[in-house]
Amino acid sequence: MNNIVSVKNLSKSFKNNGSTFKAVDNISFDISTGSIAAIIGPNGAGKTTTIKIIGGYLLPTSGEVFIAGDKKSYSSNRQNINVGISLGGENGFYDRSTAYQNLKFFAALKKIPRKDQTAEIDRVLELVNLTNVKNENVYQYSKGMKQRLQIARALLGSPKLLMLDEPTSGLDVESARDLQNNIQKSLSKDRAIILTSHTMSEVERLADQLIVIGSGEVYYNGPTSEFKKFVGVDENLSLEETYLQISDELKRV
Ligand SMILES: Nc1ncnc2c1ncn2[C@@H]1O[C@H](COP(=O)(O)OP(=O)(O)O)[C@@H](O)[C@H]1O
Ligand SMILES: [Mg+2]
């Protein structure tokens, strides 16, 4: 197994009113090809910050990110076509344009050759089941459709690493399940997916690898299936019950 991404001793500090706050504190992990990894932890644990650094949206204070196939570490190589990222929320699209027109714009930004753009856009729209509504304006989209459009945008150009920050947050049960299926469908043997989620049933269902973080530090990094053993609880306990056993420890003091 090869690693798609290696995160080495990553730290990120923010300065607030003269004091320094460590949002991410010396985090390291590897994600191998063909796998889905979930990063979980309480609000403010540092999940989004970690994803933003890997995606090149933020520079780390220290540490490095290596993406397979890249010569340089990521801290010096920000615009990376091998990484697709969806940060959630409903913003970031031209509301008065269609989904297709939006993706056309982002396909150009990702430097997908003009002659390949239409086929590539159709491919990613199909993956997230938006083909039949691709010519509707985005302001007519439901929250779930916008979430799927975000994932479609992240999939443009087939990045080696797909990162989804809380992809199913705020969706109804059926839309969430649909989206989970789409996420699984978009995984292939030579790629990897990192997602964050607060829905433990989703994590249990999707993630091969579990990274639990609290206060910016890694608490657990290993197979999802071995987390219960690590915490020392009964194998019959759900991931949610298991997580609740340790959630207090993960909070910032
Ligand atoms: N740009 C920023 N400036 C200052 N503090 C920030 C900034 N971004 C995030 N933080 C802080 O860093 C911590 C981690 O945030 P975040 O990574 O968003 O957590 P999570 O996604 O796990 O909820 C939080 O305490 C948050 O307030
Ligand atoms: Mg977050």
Side-chain angles (χ1 to χ4, degrees), residues 14 16 21 23 42-49 252:
F14 293 109
N16 280 327
F21 173 77
N43 288 326
K47 303 179 296 294
T48 299
T49 305
R252 286 183 196 271

Side-chain angles (χ1 to χ4, degrees), residues 47-185:
K47 303 179 296 294
T48 299
T49 305
T50 302
I51 279 189
K52 282 183 175 169
I53 295 170
I54 298 172
Y57 283 63
L58 273 178
L59 283 173
T61 307
S62 59
E64 285 183 299
V65 178
F66 297 91
I67 306 286
D70 293 347
K71 288 190 186 69
K72 289 179 185 165
S73 84
Y74 209 45
S75 55
S76 57
N77 181 22
R78 295 191 67 175
Q79 300 274 308
N80 195 314
I81 54 164
N82 281 329
V83 179
I85 184 167
S86 151
L87 289 171
E90 295 184 42
N91 301 325
F93 292 111
Y94 297 97
D95 259 19
R96 297 197 169 270
S97 302
T98 66
Y100 183 86
Q101 288 164 340
N102 268 277
L103 291 180
K104 185 91 177 156
F105 172 80
F106 290 105
L109 273 188
K110 286 207 181 181
K111 301 202 166 31
I112 293 167
R114 217 183 157 82
K115 64 173 173 43
D116 303 330
Q117 285 176 5
T118 300
E120 178 60 1
I121 292 166
D122 284 340
R123 184 187 74 84
V124 297
L125 283 166
E126 189 64 38
L127 270 173
V128 300
N129 299 338
L130 287 176
T131 302
N132 56 343
V133 286
K134 70 178 181 181
N135 294 321
E136 283 181 25
N137 286 333
V138 173
Y139 73 82
Q140 290 173 308
Y141 270 29
S142 69
K143 180 166 177 154
M145 289 158 82
K146 285 185 188 171
Q147 304 262 69
R148 281 186 275 152
L149 185 56
Q150 288 223 6
I151 295 178
R153 176 171 62 188
L155 285 167
L156 282 172
S158 294
K160 288 202 170 114
L161 176 65
L162 176 67
M163 292 192 294
L164 310 171
D165 197 12
E166 300 191 28
T168 59
S169 102
L171 298 189
D172 64 52
V173 176
E174 197 186 343
S175 314
R177 180 54 74 100
D178 260 4
L179 193 54
Q180 289 165 10
N181 292 340
N182 287 324
I183 291 169
Q184 270 177 327
K185 245 198 309 188

Side-chain angles (χ1 to χ4, degrees), residues 31-37 187-189 191-194 208-209:
I31 315 281
S32 58
T33 48
S35 70
I36 300 183
L187 180 68
S188 63
K189 279 197 183 67
R191 297 171 207 283
I193 298 173
I194 300 177
D208 311 292
Q209 181 178 349

